[in-house]
Amino acid sequence: MEKKDIDWGALGFAYQPTDYSYVSNYKDGKWDEGALTTDHSITLSECAGIFHYCQEVFEGLKAYTTEKGDIVCFRPDQNAKRMANSARRIVMPPFPEDRFVDAVEKVVRANAAWVPPFGSGATLYIRPLMIATGNVIGVKPADEYQFRILVTPVGAYYKGGVKPVKVQVSKYDRAAPHGTGNIKAGLNYAMSLLPSVEAHAAGYADNMFLDPETRTYVEESGGANFLFVDKDGNLVVPQSHTDSILPSITRRSLVDVAENYLGIKVTQRPVRFDEIDQFVECGMCGTAAVISPVGEVDSDDKQVVYGMEHVGPVMKKLRETLTGIQSGEIEDKFGWVHKIDVE
């Protein structure tokens, strides 16, 4: 199979249409068979539920080429499960989890020429999404929906190597206590846009959101979960006592890597903001970068510096191990890497 003629090393994190997307529609109480499509546009009624009551959920994962030349993706079954849980929370019909994985395979296989080669640092980003397409005027769930998967090649998250970033404590809340902060829905990300724009304008990479009930505990950033390392080299993972942190698949995987590959003790608990200066490393984890090391956290009356000159040893080892598993350079003990057969 011949790859597309692309300067893979020059790719940024931006949308570029590929050959195929996947689409399936829900009508009369059931999902249709679904199919690949070359049409990357969506035509909707002005009264579609997505426009009025924001019934939308999405996911994000990647396909990449391993050292052996296989095309794989990472734990798509977990994305399927999380998307189904997100859909139920805002009264959307979950797309069947087995069909989700099959659809990912189909769309990646159809766009195999767009999967960047091993060693390029680039990947094929996979974006499943579901929207309410049925007409709705009164406040209620729609009766028709569309599930789609688009794919687009993206460059390495870090150009020129992984470097620590600065974050600020936001004056805004990302989600309501016991609201929708624990699902992957567009409405949560809309809430974070203004804080994100203001953070970037002030020279910060992202925000650190505190719990929306007491503003005492660390929650997450605009698009990633936080991790900390204590003075004994143990990993400390913030939990939300208001159930408003997105359950990150990357975070869950890093916890397993820490415990089962690296022998690191892991504690998952609520983390008070006033104790973060007791930690020696901090990072943000998510699909895009795996781990973004945090070198400094600033608030109105406090500055916590972990170091802007280099990545901490625990964060560095965690990131190297997980990316090594994904690329096939390190043995996959858990069967996380999902191979996609391409003719």
Side-chain angles (χ1 to χ4, degrees):
M1 178 202 56
E2 187 175 346
K3 296 288 186 181
K4 296 291 182 178
D5 184 16
I6 294 174
D7 183 355
W8 303 106
L11 285 173
F13 205 88
Y15 173 68
Q16 177 176 345
T18 53
D19 294 333
Y20 294 95
S21 292
Y22 178 92
V23 62
S24 179
N25 291 290
Y26 181 90
K27 187 176 182 179
D28 298 327
K30 62 181 180 181
W31 290 100
D32 66 18
E33 292 184 0
L36 295 171
T37 178
T38 57
D39 185 357
H40 303 302
S41 61
I42 303 174
T43 301
L44 294 175
S45 163
E46 64 187 354
C47 201
I50 176 61
F51 298 134
H52 303 278
Y53 305 119
C54 207
Q55 277 186 291
E56 185 271 355
V57 295
F58 70 101
E59 276 297 325
L61 63 159
K62 293 178 177 180
Y64 40 90
T65 305
T66 67
E67 191 176 27
K68 294 181 180 178
D70 295 327
I71 292 178
V72 302
C73 55
F74 186 70
R75 307 189 75 178
D77 59 315
Q78 297 302 303
N79 294 95
K81 181 177 295 185
R82 187 171 65 180
M83 190 172 194
N85 289 336
S86 296
R88 292 186 189 99
R89 175 62 179 82
I90 53 176
V91 202
M92 303 174 77
F95 194 72
E97 293 177 31
D98 57 339
R99 288 190 56 191
F100 178 105
V101 175
D102 181 67
V104 167
E105 290 180 348
K106 281 185 169 68
V107 74
V108 172
R109 186 180 297 118
N111 292 288
W114 293 89
V115 180
F118 176 76
S120 65
T123 56
L124 185 72
Y125 189 79
I126 305 167
R127 170 54 59 84
L129 61 113
M130 189 196 306
I131 60 172
T133 55
N135 290 336
V136 178
I137 283 289
V139 182
K140 63 179 182 179
D143 57 5
E144 295 181 8
Y145 298 85
Q146 185 171 109
F147 170 83
R148 294 182 74 92
I149 304 178
L150 66 88
V151 299
T152 188
V154 295
Y157 190 84
Y158 288 109
K159 299 287 187 181
V162 181
K163 298 175 182 177
V165 298
K166 293 198 302 181
V167 302
Q168 68 171 7
V169 175
S170 179
K171 63 184 179 182
Y172 302 98
D173 292 328
R174 175 186 158 270
H178 312 290
T180 58
N182 62 350
I183 67 171
K184 199 167 180 67
L187 53 90
N188 293 330
Y189 292 80
M191 297 276 282
S192 72
L193 290 177
L194 178 60
S196 177
V197 168
E198 291 185 355
H200 292 161
Y204 295 96
D206 210 329
N207 290 286
M208 175 179 283
F209 290 101
L210 303 182
D211 77 278
E213 193 166 66
T214 68
R215 296 189 61 82
T216 301
Y217 297 95
V218 174
E219 292 268 287
E220 62 176 273
S221 73
N225 286 183
F226 281 102
L227 303 170
F228 296 97
V229 177
D230 68 19
K231 294 175 181 177
D232 296 320
N234 303 315
L235 190 65
V236 181
V237 181
Q239 285 184 326
S240 173
H241 74 293
T242 58
D243 197 21
S244 50
I245 292 179
L246 182 72
S248 165
I249 296 165
T250 302
R251 182 195 69 197
R252 194 180 317 147
S253 303
L254 287 166
V255 166
D256 288 336
V257 164
E259 292 180 326
N260 297 287
Y261 278 81
L262 303 177
I264 295 172
K265 180 182 176 182
V266 179
T267 301
Q268 301 190 59
R269 62 171 177 82
V271 172
R272 299 189 320 276
F273 176 68
D274 65 10
E275 67 174 305
I276 70 168
D277 55 1
Q278 302 300 308
F279 298 119
V280 296
E281 293 183 43
C282 177
M284 299 181 290
C285 63
T287 298
V290 180
I291 292 179
S292 298
V294 174
E296 181 178 317
V297 180
D298 293 342
S299 68
D300 288 341
D301 57 359
K302 185 175 187 175
Q303 182 184 70
V304 180
V305 178
Y306 300 104
M308 295 296 294
E309 302 304 317
H310 62 275
V311 181
V314 175
M315 293 295 169
K316 184 173 186 290
K317 192 63 176 176
L318 282 170
R319 187 177 188 279
E320 288 175 348
T321 304
L322 186 56
T323 57
I325 294 168
Q326 292 174 336
S327 67
E329 298 169 279
I330 295 175
E331 179 190 358
D332 175 15
K333 296 179 181 179
F334 299 108
W336 287 341
V337 178
H338 187 89
K339 183 179 176 181
I340 297 172
D341 294 324
V342 177
E343 295 180 357

